[in-house]
Amino acid sequence: MTQLPKAKYRKDYQAPEFTITDVDLTFNLHPTETRVVSVLKVVRQGNHEKPLVLDGEQLTLLSIKVDGVKVPEDSYQCDEQNLTLDTSLDTFTLEIENSVNPTANEALEGLYLAEDTFCTQCEAEGFRRITYYLDRPDVLAKFTTTVIADLDKFPYVLSNGNKIKQAELDNGKHLATWQDPFPKPCYLFALVAGNFDVLRDKFTTREGRSVDLELFVDKGNLDRADHAMLSLKNAMKWDEERFDLVYDLDIYMVVAVDFFNMGAMENKGLNVFNAKYVLANPKTATDQDFLNVESVIGHEYFHNWTGNRVTCRDWFQLSLKEGLTVFRDQEFSSDLGSRAVNRIQDVRVIRSHQFAEDSGPMAHPIRPDKVVQMNNFYTVTVYNKGAEVIRMIHTLLGETGFQKGMKLYFERHDGNAVTCEDFVKAMEDANGQDFSVFRHWYSQAGTPVVTVEESYDANAKELTLKLKQATASTPGQEQKVPFHIPVKWSAYSEKGERLSLGNNDVLHLKESEASFTFENVAEKPILSLFDNFSAPVKVKRNLTDDELRVLLAHSEDDFSRWDAAQSLFTRIIEKAISNNSEAELSVKTIQACQNLLRANTDPALKALALTLPTASTIADGYKTIPVEAINTQLKSLKIQLAEALESDFTELLNACSSNKPYQLNGDDIARRQLKQICLSYLAELGDATVGNLKQQFEQADNLTDQLGALQASVWANNSVAEPLLNLFEKQWQGEKLVMDKWFSTQALANSEQTVERVKSLMTHPDFSLKNPNRIYSLLAAFTQNQPQFHRADGAGYELIGAIIQQLNASNPQVASRLLSAFVSWRRYDENRQQLMKKQLESLRNLPDLASDLFEKVESCLTE
């Protein structure tokens, strides 16, 4: 590289020398030469000797004027990254004209043209690819945007705020002018132009204002938009009722596009969505797709206040908006659906992905201290662990106290760009609390390990509980100070009866260790610790199998029941790996599973409890990951469970099957979840289950059941797998979002031929390396296939390494996401280490390595 990317540090933050108060943008859209005229009201707020330095990338500068006068060429400098203007003025109007090439923009950052639709993505630093600007989140301005385009090709031209003008022009063109009355950073700017079908509705706020709702989808997809619209209205109503927050514009628009690097973007009043999180009907979307649409629609709407009205001072504060908004969308989904099921699924993400991130070379706090490329910090740590930190605040304060803190937060900071510290301070001040120790969750990386010791004195009827915490070193942080860890708990007798040992259901671990004594305890209790996953920690504890089975059967906390089942399964697998023997499923554990299947409880909870831990979750317990052993033992345990519980699975499969038409409600979703788990176990029994698989596939009136049968057959390597794959392809070829599931199903198959199959699928007509959704569905899914991506001959590494090199030049953001699969390379055996290191070194040696990749490669290879 001609110049190595430089790191930025949170400690070096300085307020901008200039700010911009008002922006007037005019776009004359053209596929290869879009003209952009920006008129900026600039105000100096720093050193009078400093020039104005604007960010700009991949732009062609055409003219500059200050207060209407053309700027001489010797008064400014323009290079590949900046436009520097020498000026002594304190306030002035700056007019810049430049051009961009949307068609050539395959990185999908800034303004781009894909499949006849103009679209923008400006977070984190994409606006500088549109025009020259102070591209930082602490510069807030009011935007007015005029978009000019061909009327026939682009009948809809959209931007932020309320539409204040529209007109037809000469030469078959038209324009629309949009005005956003709320100051915003440029990362929230959006522009979309295309030809869509539109679903329209209205929402009346509690203040009586009528808000126009418009949902734009590709032609022919209108029948897949209803659920997204319903989810939006539910989110608007929920935010009023739960958080006392009301929408503030006259219109709210959502646009679904197929070419989009992210899931969605919360641009003020004009949300741009990856189509997979908007389009859904029973034929083309699974139950999980419907739930994902609801969650992501909610998430982006909730950003209107937590992210837009109050935004980030700098990108180190990303979790200020994302951690908080993930918590809000989790609560939204939980209030509308099953709280227990949603909580367990959220925890699975933390354990399968975030814990691994915490133990790797890219480990970082939820508020990072150092950044080279901001795109690399849109992580499960910032988002999901960030949400867990917010949840702990909620646990410490309760719902009433938390809402008091939220109210004060908005009173203090509405319309401002602030920090994580500002949020914590509002929570403290509103409730008279001291969160000085709790703040370490924002500044320290890593997953705390809590060791539990219990002793019971039968004579004194006294229980002593000792908790110790320790956090391993992470890059740049050798020593850790104690976290404030809230421990929700409950207690049970050996018979499963709930015991009352005290009035406080939350213990507070604030030091390296703490001791808690309970008096008048009539019998040795079984403690359920970290109920509801009250802190994102790992727990070391010597519970017996019998005690785990008591919690599985009797805990009043649904998460803890699920966790007990996962602990039992993990223990069986780890013991078999340690002894180099086959997993042994005890009679008592089989009985506990039978009792669970036969219990009168939520079918979805049964399904989750009987779902084995993922390979990545098991791997997290090892310093050197035993790839083959984990794979072998998971497979063995699943077959044993299928054989031992065959009659129960068959009975439940039949009971959950129904001839009634598909309905999207909690009970039916839960029933289909349990049916799928039963089918996946029975598929392991070989050709005896072919009839069940074919019947469900052929008779399904919804994609959930059809895909469930396909996945069960493929992942069990059943003889009917290939015929069903062919039937599915014939039925759905050309339906890209449905075909994504077909790609993923094969990419996740535990077969020795998976690498070769993935290579072959890259030539399929429905696959394209230019589309992030296709890449995620096939290649990113393959990297999650632990035994096959980590195939001993390195073929999986070679495949993904070559793709990363290709994407380095076209879409480095997506390439960087694929590179995450190599980050933990040091945790594998020597052979695999060398094979992965070879790929990393090949990337390092590229002459044009993108900054997105440079940061990760250097972090991985640094000793």
Side-chain angles (χ1 to χ4, degrees), residues 55 86 100 134 313 331 365 473 534 548 589 603 660 763 863:
D55 302 294
D86 298 316
V100 295
L134 290 172
R313 184 196 71 179
E331 286 296 289
S473 298
S534 60
L548 285 172
T589 298
K660 70 177 185 178
T763 67
E863 295 290 341

Side-chain angles (χ1 to χ4, degrees), residues 350-558:
I350 293 289
R351 288 183 172 174
S352 292
H353 302 290
Q354 198 282 317
F355 282 176
E357 191 166 88
D358 261 351
S359 62
M362 289 291 291
H364 54 279
I366 66 169
R367 182 189 58 201
D369 294 313
K370 172 187 174 185
V371 166
V372 173
Q373 173 49 256
M374 190 56 221
N375 288 335
N376 287 334
F377 287 87
Y378 285 77
T379 61
V380 284
T381 296
V382 167
Y383 278 64
N384 300 76
K385 185 177 181 177
E388 294 300 318
V389 171
I390 299 297
R391 188 171 295 280
M392 285 189 288
I393 294 176
H394 186 275
T395 296
L396 295 174
L397 299 178
E399 172 69 5
T400 300
F402 187 81
Q403 294 296 351
K404 285 172 60 179
M406 291 293 291
K407 183 177 181 181
L408 182 59
Y409 175 62
F410 290 121
E411 287 176 355
R412 287 179 174 176
H413 303 300
D414 186 14
N416 296 317
V418 301
T419 66
C420 295
E421 172 61 26
D422 292 317
F423 177 81
V424 177
K425 193 72 169 64
M427 288 291 164
E428 273 184 325
D429 292 350
N431 292 278
Q433 297 288 321
D434 179 4
F435 281 176
S436 55
V437 177
F438 188 85
R439 281 176 171 79
H440 297 150
W441 286 105
Y442 283 90
S443 59
Q444 291 188 147
T447 304
V449 177
V450 177
T451 303
V452 179
E453 297 177 6
E454 301 168 65
S455 60
Y456 176 66
D457 186 331
N459 293 324
K461 296 185 178 180
E462 187 174 87
L463 172 71
T464 301
L465 175 66
K466 291 183 179 179
L467 302 177
K468 299 178 181 179
Q469 63 166 299
T471 306
S473 298
T474 55
Q477 293 185 338
E478 292 296 319
Q479 301 297 321
K480 309 286 185 176
V481 297
F483 291 90
H484 180 177
I485 300 175
V487 185
K488 294 190 73 173
W489 67 283
S490 52
Y492 302 88
S493 71
E494 290 184 359
K495 295 180 180 179
E497 299 160 331
R498 177 69 183 266
L499 301 178
S500 178
L501 305 186
N503 296 324
N504 191 351
D505 65 350
V506 179
L507 305 175
H508 299 272
L509 176 60
K510 296 184 179 181
E511 305 293 338
S512 297
E513 58 182 273
S515 182
F516 304 91
T517 301
F518 303 89
E519 299 176 342
N520 299 318
V521 181
E523 60 179 298
K524 183 178 183 301
I526 300 170
L527 297 182
S528 177
L529 299 178
F530 294 96
D531 282 349
N532 201 43
F533 195 65
S534 60
V537 302
K538 299 176 185 177
V539 181
K540 286 188 176 179
R541 189 180 179 194
N542 293 320
L543 282 176
T544 67
D545 286 0
D546 284 340
E547 289 171 329
L548 285 172
R549 285 188 280 265
V550 169
L551 294 178
L552 170 60
H554 300 290
S555 176
E556 294 179 7
D557 183 82
D558 289 322

Side-chain angles (χ1 to χ4, degrees), residues 154-283:
F154 309 104
Y156 295 99
V157 287
L158 315 172
S159 192
N160 308 87
N162 301 315
K163 187 190 292 185
I164 60 172
K165 180 182 178 182
Q166 61 182 5
E168 292 191 18
L169 307 175
D170 296 334
N171 300 323
K173 293 191 174 185
H174 71 135
L175 68 75
T177 300
W178 300 82
Q179 190 174 71
D180 186 351
F182 296 94
K184 66 172 179 283
C186 63
Y187 84 84
L188 290 172
F189 172 80
L191 180 155
V192 175
N195 190 7
F196 306 99
D197 282 339
V198 188
L199 179 63
R200 293 182 170 88
D201 206 332
K202 290 185 178 292
F203 179 82
T204 303
T205 70
R206 68 170 185 216
E207 298 166 345
R209 274 193 314 107
S210 179
V211 179
D212 291 325
L213 308 180
E214 296 185 346
L215 208 161
F216 297 82
V217 299
D218 285 341
K219 288 287 186 178
N221 284 332
L222 205 57
D223 65 330
R224 306 183 195 185
D226 290 336
H227 181 68
M229 182 64 81
L230 176 62
S231 298
L232 174 58
K233 294 170 72 173
N234 285 339
M236 298 176 80
K237 184 173 186 290
W238 180 86
D239 217 16
E240 289 185 350
E241 295 176 348
R242 177 84 185 265
F243 279 84
D244 199 29
L245 298 173
V246 182
Y247 188 61
D248 50 11
L249 289 172
D250 298 334
I251 189 170
Y252 190 94
M253 298 173 285
V254 173
V255 181
V257 295
D258 195 41
F259 282 72
F260 205 65
N261 285 339
M262 298 183 174
M265 180 59 210
E266 70 268 19
N267 321 291
K268 181 75 179 182
L270 175 59
N271 289 182
V272 180
F273 268 67
N274 189 316
K276 67 186 289 187
Y277 294 116
V278 171
L279 305 179
N281 66 24
K283 290 286 187 182

Side-chain angles (χ1 to χ4, degrees), residues 585-773:
L585 191 60
S586 71
V587 173
K588 286 186 177 180
T589 298
I590 292 171
Q591 185 63 53
C593 292
Q594 284 180 325
N595 291 342
L596 177 65
L597 288 172
R598 297 170 184 177
N600 183 22
T601 190
D602 184 354
L605 285 175
K606 293 181 184 180
L608 285 168
L610 268 295
T611 300
L612 294 180
T614 64
S616 57
T617 301
I618 300 294
D620 193 57
Y622 291 88
K623 184 176 181 180
T624 300
I625 299 171
V627 176
E628 288 88 358
I630 292 174
N631 176 44
T632 298
Q633 299 304 337
L634 276 170
K635 185 73 171 178
S636 173
L637 182 55
K638 189 166 186 180
I639 291 173
Q640 288 186 61
L641 282 166
E643 292 172 343
L645 302 171
E646 179 180 2
S647 60
D648 291 275
F649 285 137
T650 302
E651 183 178 340
L652 275 174
L653 179 65
N654 293 330
C656 290
S657 298
S658 171
N659 292 324
K660 70 177 185 178
Y662 176 91
Q663 289 187 310
L664 187 68
N665 58 57
D667 290 342
D668 281 15
I669 290 173
R671 176 180 56 78
R672 285 189 289 271
Q673 283 180 287
L674 182 55
K675 178 170 63 171
Q676 180 55 32
I677 284 297
C678 294
L679 193 63
S680 72
Y681 273 104
L682 292 172
E684 298 291 340
L685 300 178
D687 289 345
T689 57
V690 165
N692 287 330
L693 293 164
K694 289 183 65 178
Q695 180 180 13
Q696 179 164 313
F697 184 93
E698 292 170 355
Q699 296 182 3
D701 69 341
N702 63 86
L703 189 62
T704 303
D705 283 343
Q706 188 183 44
L707 183 67
L710 179 70
Q711 290 175 337
S713 64
V714 172
W715 295 344
N717 197 24
N718 199 287
S719 64
V720 78
E722 289 299 327
L724 294 188
L725 281 168
N726 293 335
L727 286 170
F728 193 93
E729 179 190 19
K730 183 178 180 181
Q731 180 179 355
W732 295 112
Q733 191 163 346
E735 287 282 356
K736 291 183 172 59
L737 292 178
V738 182
M739 287 298 289
D740 281 347
K741 303 177 192 305
W742 184 77
F743 286 128
S744 295
T745 297
Q746 295 170 84
L748 291 168
N750 188 4
S751 164
E752 294 181 357
Q753 300 302 313
T754 296
V755 173
E756 289 69 27
R757 184 179 284 261
V758 170
K759 289 180 181 178
S760 175
L761 288 170
M762 289 177 61
T763 67
H764 192 279
D766 281 332
F767 183 81
S768 169
L769 272 178
K770 293 184 177 181
N771 190 302
N773 280 352

